[in-house]
């Protein structure tokens, strides 16, 4: 039998990856077999479903976490009976009941949402590859910005790489300028530098639309004491509380804890010293509206809405009823707006500092996605990326639309510490209600792991990092610590991990393993 080789379809945004999927699926159906298509949750839009239904009619079953259980069960049984022969869905659809599977497509295979991090941990992309292998099916992984792991597989010949380097209309990729925020001091409220302000003005004057992109995680609105700097954190989760202007309250995104903003500082007791500060999309949208009073400004983020309301905002943009859209990650995926000729990234740096070895890759992917937003209409788009670190490879390569340049730089950086794809990383997560017991267990286990690595030659390549409190040290009433095991040999890593997990600790303490975690939080 022929060796099983997944395909990696590497295509620039707008190069027609979806059309390739549709053709492969059509051929598969013609041969009497079935098809499974996985997409990130955020891309599973009504437009995407409509596109599949337009081509394949009611042979398509859509599996979506936003569906009622009954609808989902209905779709599941249509597949089971063979009434539907194409399953399109997010992560968990990888287990859809399809007989005679002929092809599995994983679109945007780099997307972090394919990894199930809670409960039973699995990576839907890896499950998809295994399932295709067992079923004798074709496996197609598609992305404009492949994960380093998948691209490395294609470099090593484990995957066969197909490149879609041109947009079918021969329209060039948008022109990207990097704006150095150290030179062009941005307006504090809106993060508008002079060049971006000028570009927005020109776009408005031309009757075109702009998207301003904000990486929410780095820019949540915060409330602080201007006398002593005290900031408000959740007493249960040790995360910063998010400020809600309409209710003038602070709340925790994890556990829902909520409190009023006090008049006086709880720490230094200074009266009237609490300032509401920072840059959410709300703040930026207000400042942008003030700077461009004739423009119609809308914003889009998780606070505005979910599901249907998102579609309302996006369809207004599609009908050109919005001149400037201010938004978070949501604006980067799954929608084509011909009228958008300018995309401004307000601050590219925010993602780079997340405590995660994939921070740089995520930032590159995000910037590349955002850059792909502009210029899908009949004119070439323009992208301005504002950053305090214009020399960062993720920024430079995204601006140059050069995936390979990023891959080479990032792969070299990862090699230094044997991070994937050069090695593996296992997070040992230790948590429990009692902070002393958790810390004690973490120190005990890390010590044992270090002893094992010192004493046994078969695991000598393993590095033990930590123990450290997790970035979210308290979450839902539990204290969380981490030990990281890192090294080029996954068998050696597993041996150490198994020893750690098999060691007896206080009964209230949980010890879990996460291989190549998507998040360090
Ligand atoms: Zn204070
Ligand atoms: Zn909380």
């Amino acid at each position: 039998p022929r060796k099983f080789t997944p395909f990696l379809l590497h295509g620039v945004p707008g190069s027609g990856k979806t059309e390739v999927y549709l053709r492969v699926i059509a051929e598969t159906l013609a041969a009497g077999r079935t098809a499974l298509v996985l997409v990130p949750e955020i891309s599973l839009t009504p437009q995407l479903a409509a596109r599949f239904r337009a081509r394949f009619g009611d042979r398509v079953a859509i599996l979506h976490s936003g569906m009622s259980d009954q609808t989902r069960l209905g779709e599941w049984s249509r597949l089971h009976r063979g009434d539907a022969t194409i399953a399109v869905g997010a992560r968990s659809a990888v287990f859809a009941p399809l007989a005679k599977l002929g092809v599995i497509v994983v679109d945007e295979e780099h997307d972090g949402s394919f990894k199930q991090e809670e409960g039973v941990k699995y990576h839907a992309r890896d499950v998809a590859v295994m399932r295709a292998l067992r079923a004798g099916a074709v496996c197609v992984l598609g992305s404009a910005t492949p994960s380093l792991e998948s691209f490395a597989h294609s470099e090593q010949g484990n995957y066969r790489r197909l490149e879609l380097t041109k947009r079918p209309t021969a329209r060039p990729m948008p022109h990207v300028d990097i704006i150095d925020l150290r030179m062009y001091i941005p307006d504090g409220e809106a993060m508008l530098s002079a060049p971006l302000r000028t570009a927005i003005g020109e776009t408005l004057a031309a009757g075109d639309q702009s998207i301003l992109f904000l990486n929410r995680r780095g820019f949540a609105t915060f409330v602080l004491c201007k006398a002593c700097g005290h900031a408000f954190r959740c007493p249960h989760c040790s995360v910063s509380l998010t400020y809600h202007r309409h209710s003038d309250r602070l709340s925790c995104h994890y556990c829902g804890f909520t409190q009023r903003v006090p008049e006086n500082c709880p720490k230094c007791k200074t009266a009237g010293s609490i300032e509401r500060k920072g840059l959410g999309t709300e703040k930026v949208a207000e400042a942008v509206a003030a700077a461009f009073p004739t423009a119609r400004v809308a914003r889009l983020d998780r606070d505005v809405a979910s599901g249907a309301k998102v579609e309302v905002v996006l369809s207004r943009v599609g009908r050109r009823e919005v001149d400037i859209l201010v938004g978070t990650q949501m604006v980067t995926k799954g929608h084509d707006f011909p009228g958008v000729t300018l995309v401004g990234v307000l601050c590219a740096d925010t993602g780079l500092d997340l405590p995660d070895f994939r921070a740089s890759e995520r930032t590159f992917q995000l910037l590349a996605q955002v850059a792909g937003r502009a210029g899908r209409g009949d004119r070439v788009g323009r992208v301005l990326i504002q950053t305090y670190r214009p020399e960062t490879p993720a920024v430079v390569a995204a601006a140059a639309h050069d995936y390979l340049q990023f891959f080479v730089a990032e792969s070299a950086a990862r090699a230094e510490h044997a991070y994937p794809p050069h090695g593996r990383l296992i997070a040992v997560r230790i948590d429990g209600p009692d902070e002393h017991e958790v810390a004690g267990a973490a120190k005990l286990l890390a010590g044992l792991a270090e002893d094992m690595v010192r004493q046994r030659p078969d695991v000598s390549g393993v590095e033990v990092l930590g123990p450290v409190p997790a970035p979210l040290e308290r979450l839902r009433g539990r204290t969380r610590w981490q030990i990281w095991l890192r090294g080029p040999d996954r068998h050696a890593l597993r041996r150490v991990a198994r020893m750690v997990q098999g060691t007896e600790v206080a009964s209230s303490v949980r010890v879990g393993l996460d291989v190549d975690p998507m998040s360090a939080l």
Side-chain angles (χ1 to χ4, degrees):
R2 256 181 51 216
K3 186 173 165 278
F4 171 73
T5 311
F7 291 94
L8 176 62
L9 182 61
H10 179 212
V12 297
S15 62
K17 285 192 296 298
T18 307
E19 188 54 37
V20 173
Y21 304 151
L22 293 173
R23 285 185 197 173
V24 173
I25 292 165
E27 282 174 25
T28 304
L29 296 188
R33 303 184 74 172
T34 62
L36 171 59
V37 181
L38 301 179
V39 299
E41 189 76 49
I42 196 170
S43 306
L44 197 53
T45 56
Q47 287 91 328
L48 182 83
R51 196 161 171 194
F52 275 89
R53 288 216 169 97
R55 187 75 70 102
F56 301 111
D58 58 11
R59 281 178 295 174
V60 179
I62 306 287
L63 301 167
H64 194 285
S65 68
M67 292 174 150
S68 69
D69 286 350
Q70 203 177 353
T71 312
R72 199 178 158 80
L73 188 65
E75 291 293 76
W76 204 267
S77 45
R78 287 207 306 129
L79 289 165
H80 192 69
R81 289 194 306 267
D83 294 346
T85 49
I86 307 167
V88 180
R91 186 171 61 212
S92 63
V94 73
F95 303 111
L98 285 156
K100 290 194 290 176
L101 194 54
V103 64
I104 302 183
V105 171
V106 183
D107 189 31
E108 311 225 32
E109 63 85 27
H110 64 274
D111 197 276
S113 72
F114 285 124
K115 176 92 186 277
Q116 161 98 18
E117 305 256 70
E118 309 251 315
V120 180
K121 297 181 179 64
Y122 66 91
H123 199 303
R125 177 189 63 216
D126 300 343
V127 176
V129 172
M130 286 308 297
R131 190 172 175 188
L133 168 65
R134 294 207 181 120
V138 172
C139 185
V140 182
L141 310 177
S143 177
T145 53
S147 63
L148 249 69
E149 288 90 336
S150 293
F151 200 83
H153 275 310
S154 75
E155 289 283 277
Q156 292 152 7
N158 301 326
Y159 293 177
R160 197 173 315 157
R161 187 160 79 236
L162 307 172
E163 300 268 0
L164 292 175
T165 50
K166 290 199 177 67
R167 293 178 165 195
T169 51
R171 193 162 20 77
M173 292 295 286
H175 185 77
V176 182
D177 282 316
I178 300 173
I179 308 297
D180 186 344
L181 290 178
R182 296 169 304 187
M183 260 174 69
Y184 298 100
I185 312 295
D187 172 303
E189 297 280 294
M191 286 297 288
L192 295 181
S193 66
L196 181 56
R197 190 182 286 266
T198 304
I200 295 170
E202 287 168 0
T203 306
L204 275 173
D208 291 331
Q209 295 168 290
S210 305
I211 290 179
L212 299 180
F213 174 77
L214 189 67
N215 188 340
R216 174 74 173 194
R217 285 204 265 191
F219 273 107
T221 305
F222 58 99
V223 175
L224 85 174
C225 167
K226 60 187 171 191
C228 76
H230 175 74
F232 294 85
R233 291 180 160 260
C234 174
H236 309 295
C237 304
S238 78
V239 287
S240 290
L241 297 174
T242 306
Y243 177 62
H244 298 274
R245 172 185 295 253
H246 298 298
S247 53
D248 198 38
R249 292 182 78 87
L250 295 157
S251 73
C252 170
H253 265 308
Y254 287 92
C255 72
F257 169 85
T258 172
Q259 70 170 85
R260 261 190 56 247
V261 178
E263 287 296 315
N264 307 330
C265 176
K267 192 175 173 201
C268 73
K269 315 292 180 200
T270 306
S273 65
I274 304 300
E275 200 163 57
R276 292 140 181 86
K277 201 176 169 58
L279 298 163
T281 50
E282 190 177 8
K283 201 108 185 182
V284 171
E286 278 176 16
V288 168
F292 300 96
T294 61
R296 296 162 298 176
V297 179
R299 73 182 176 104
L300 188 62
D301 59 34
R302 277 183 215 287
D303 285 352
V304 172
S306 57
K309 270 181 151 182
V310 173
E311 292 307 318
V312 171
V313 174
L314 291 174
S315 60
R316 279 178 57 215
V317 177
R319 290 195 305 271
R320 294 187 174 232
E321 293 167 15
V322 171
D323 297 312
I324 304 171
L325 176 66
V326 179
T328 56
Q329 267 84 333
M330 278 184 189
V331 305
T332 65
K333 287 185 181 173
H335 297 274
D336 293 340
F337 300 120
V340 174
T341 57
L342 174 68
V343 173
V345 177
L346 294 169
C347 187
D349 306 68
T350 52
L352 294 168
D353 293 326
L354 293 172
D356 183 347
F357 75 89
R358 287 193 179 86
S360 183
E361 181 178 2
R362 291 251 177 81
T363 302
F364 173 78
Q365 287 161 350
L366 212 56
L367 294 178
Q369 289 273 1
V370 171
R373 292 288 81 194
R376 285 193 178 189
D378 49 8
R379 272 153 303 171
V380 179
R382 217 179 141 191
V383 178
L384 299 188
I385 299 177
Q386 302 194 124
T387 173
Y388 289 96
R389 277 172 282 175
E391 69 287 348
T392 307
V395 173
V396 174
H401 306 291
D402 191 343
Y403 176 85
L404 197 60
Q405 180 188 353
F406 173 73
F407 176 82
V408 170
E410 178 65 10
S411 184
R414 299 250 187 114
E416 271 181 49
H417 297 292
Y419 280 124
H422 305 283
R424 295 206 119 163
L425 191 68
I426 297 181
V428 181
R429 303 194 193 275
I430 303 131
D431 71 272
D434 185 291
E435 57 181 308
H436 300 292
E437 282 186 357
V438 171
K443 283 165 191 162
L444 169 77
L445 295 176
L448 289 174
E450 272 166 18
D451 289 346
M452 183 178 177
V453 168
R454 247 197 318 273
Q455 288 158 11
R456 282 182 40 180
D458 63 324
V459 295
S460 63
V462 175
E463 246 185 301
V464 181
L465 310 172
V468 288
L472 298 172
E473 191 178 350
R474 284 293 283 184
L475 187 64
R476 298 184 194 106
R478 298 177 79 88
T479 292
R480 308 156 76 237
W481 281 60
Q482 297 171 343
I483 300 167
W484 297 89
L485 305 174
R486 194 166 70 178
D489 178 358
R490 64 195 170 96
H491 301 293
L493 281 169
R494 287 217 177 264
R495 267 175 230 130
V496 178
R498 245 181 261 130
M499 180 281 292
V500 166
Q501 204 175 25
T503 300
E504 200 162 320
V505 292
S507 62
S508 71
V509 174
R510 274 192 315 213
V511 179
L513 302 179
D514 192 354
V515 179
D516 292 348
M518 281 295 167
S519 158
L521 298 177

